[in-house]
Amino acid sequence: MATDGKVITCKAAVAWEPGKPLSIEEVEVAPPKAHEVRIKVVATGVCHTDWEYLFETGKGMKFRPFPLVLGHEAAGIVESIGPEVTRFSPGDKVIPLFLPYCGECERCLSPKTNHCKKNWTNMQAGVLADGTSRISCKGQQVYQFLGVSSFSQYTVVPDTSVAKIRSDAPLDKVCLLGCGVSTGYGAAINAGKVEKDSSCAVFGLGAVGLAAVMGCKVAMAKRIIGVDINPDKFEKARQFGATDCINPRDYSKPIQEVVVEMTGGGVDYALECVGSPAIMNAAFESTRDAWGTCVIAGWTETETMSISVEKLLMGRTLKGTYFGGWKSVKDVPKLVDDYMNHKLKLDEFITEKLPLVQINKAFDLLKSGKSIRTVISLQAS
């Protein structure tokens, strides 16, 4: 391509400081270095984690350096590759990933985990392998959120954090597999290992929660209870497979007690998809004595949860999941295939489509609970 080896000037939504709206700026995106891929971002979902890092840094989230370009749930096309990149070519359709998969380390070689740590520390700090970002604006470095930064028309990511996908996949749909849908779906399928004819409760019916409901449905759970304080989400939850929907504000007793009463002793599986320690406790306590399993999929970095040791000793299992347990580079293309073969819903998560210039509106819709997923078009005029 004509841009190969050159700096690309393009538009990006820059977060200059915490707590302030994003600013649409012209940024410079440097060419990829060794083992890096430069991607033309076509579409990106707006995830609650993006909102939290902008507006709740220092609360439930660790501090990330500013200025930065947020966004980590995306799909695009390879524009150019750096030296020593062998698995990608310009023109490939790809999904950049905040969780790497090197395929060589002890963790990648183990079926027990998906937690590859290739470039992990640097990506968490907003830079790539050499300790710098590939994005700059107004003469200063702009940090890359989780090593991705998909709120930019172009970005550069490590080649261990890119999944090559089939050429006929619609990028404005499969971008959701970069975070939310994969996380919730995998929480049920991989982490929870939900069984046929079981009972489940999903706490939080945003994109992650709805994907968890979908996972329970695919696993052929008999009863799936959706729990959320926003009843506007109940109809959508039923479309994904929820058999019951309840609002904690409709009851005078703790919601875990309601779930235990509804199910005659508690659910077999509870999936927490909010990121709140109080809701994590409620989810855990809603599970059945002796064999209940609670999976934590909601994200928080600084908070702690407190549980009754006796409830744990009585046979319950409490576990967490990151990116739904999927080995990112290896498994995401399979999820794309499942979508293309009508085994996985994606279209139903998308409630809004907006251009990059309206990125702040997407945050407003997310926070107000009026959208499940807004997909931002990066290449629209």
Side-chain angles (χ1 to χ4, degrees):
M1 290 188 179
T3 48
D4 189 8
K6 300 177 182 176
V7 172
I8 292 178
T9 300
C10 64
K11 298 289 187 183
V14 177
W16 289 105
E17 56 184 302
K20 299 290 178 65
L22 303 181
S23 176
I24 305 299
E25 306 280 3
E26 275 205 344
V27 299
E28 292 78 44
V29 181
K33 296 185 179 182
H35 292 291
E36 294 177 356
V37 177
R38 187 160 61 182
I39 298 169
K40 178 182 180 180
V41 183
V42 172
T44 182
V46 177
C47 179
H48 194 260
T49 308
D50 297 310
W51 183 91
E52 287 184 292
Y53 279 116
L54 185 60
F55 293 106
E56 293 195 348
T57 289
K59 297 177 185 176
M61 298 294 150
K62 296 176 183 175
F63 181 78
R64 294 301 202 278
F66 286 77
L68 83 162
V69 172
L70 291 162
H72 62 287
E73 182 182 89
I77 300 167
V78 173
E79 174 272 334
S80 60
I81 59 174
E84 299 174 52
V85 174
T86 58
R87 295 184 298 109
F88 302 97
S89 302
D92 287 346
K93 283 189 174 182
V94 293
I95 293 178
L97 299 157
F98 61 87
L99 176 64
Y101 174 81
C102 72
E104 299 173 351
C105 69
E106 179 185 35
R107 295 183 178 195
C108 284
L109 295 174
S110 169
K112 296 180 179 180
T113 184
N114 63 337
H115 289 208
C116 176
K117 286 299 180 79
K118 182 78 171 181
N119 297 319
W120 179 264
T121 302
N122 279 5
M123 288 173 73
Q124 295 299 307
V127 293
L128 300 187
D130 67 348
T132 67
S133 164
R134 301 291 166 267
I135 303 175
S136 59
C137 182
K138 298 179 180 177
Q140 64 176 307
Q141 175 171 272
V142 177
Y143 291 94
Q144 294 185 227
F145 185 54
L146 302 179
V148 178
S149 287
S150 59
F151 292 173
S152 175
Q153 291 178 317
Y154 287 84
T155 190
V156 177
V157 299
D159 63 357
T160 49
S161 298
V162 186
K164 181 179 176 180
I165 60 173
R166 55 196 283 173
S167 60
D168 58 344
L171 299 179
D172 60 342
K173 308 289 174 51
V174 299
C175 60
L176 301 189
L177 293 171
C179 180
V181 174
S182 298
T183 296
Y185 185 62
I189 298 293
N190 297 328
K193 293 181 169 56
V194 171
E195 295 174 315
K196 182 182 179 182
D197 294 331
S198 61
S199 59
C200 305
V202 176
F203 289 74
L205 297 174
V208 175
L210 290 175
V213 169
M214 178 171 65
C216 294
K217 172 78 170 176
V218 168
M220 297 175 26
K222 182 183 291 185
R223 193 170 190 186
I224 305 168
I225 303 168
V227 184
D228 201 291
I229 59 172
N230 182 354
D232 292 342
K233 295 180 178 179
F234 291 171
E235 181 181 351
K236 181 76 78 170
R238 291 188 178 95
Q239 291 175 19
F240 279 94
T243 57
D244 309 77
C245 292
I246 54 176
N247 182 347
R249 291 175 175 170
D250 291 341
Y251 300 90
S252 57
K253 62 179 69 173
I255 195 62
Q256 55 265 47
E257 293 181 17
V258 175
V259 173
V260 169
E261 286 181 12
M262 285 176 67
T263 54
V267 290
D268 300 309
Y269 302 94
L271 300 110
E272 195 278 347
C273 302
V274 179
S276 158
I279 298 173
M280 293 173 187
N281 289 343
F284 178 72
E285 292 179 2
S286 73
T287 59
R288 187 171 292 272
D289 190 15
W291 64 69
T293 294
C294 177
V295 178
I296 306 299
W299 188 250
T300 180
E301 293 180 332
T302 62
E303 298 174 286
T304 59
M305 64 180 291
S306 174
I307 61 171
S308 162
V309 175
E310 182 190 18
K311 289 184 182 297
L312 200 59
L313 290 173
M314 288 296 102
R316 292 175 178 83
T317 298
L318 175 65
K319 62 197 304 187
T321 184
Y322 190 69
F323 195 57
W326 304 108
K327 288 184 180 284
S328 57
V329 172
K330 184 179 175 184
D331 288 337
V332 165
K334 298 174 187 175
L335 293 173
V336 172
D337 287 343
D338 284 347
Y339 166 70
M340 298 299 288
N341 294 325
H342 309 290
K343 296 178 181 176
L344 186 70
K345 296 180 189 291
L346 287 180
D347 303 49
E348 293 82 356
F349 288 92
I350 301 169
T351 45
E352 301 279 346
K353 291 190 175 184
L354 296 173
L356 181 61
V357 292
Q358 294 189 49
I359 186 84
N360 289 306
K361 179 182 177 182
F363 274 151
D364 293 341
L365 289 167
L366 183 71
K367 187 55 184 169
S368 68
K370 293 178 181 176
S371 76
I372 301 301
R373 264 300 184 270
T374 298
V375 172
I376 300 296
S377 174
L378 274 294
Q379 303 301 325
S381 57

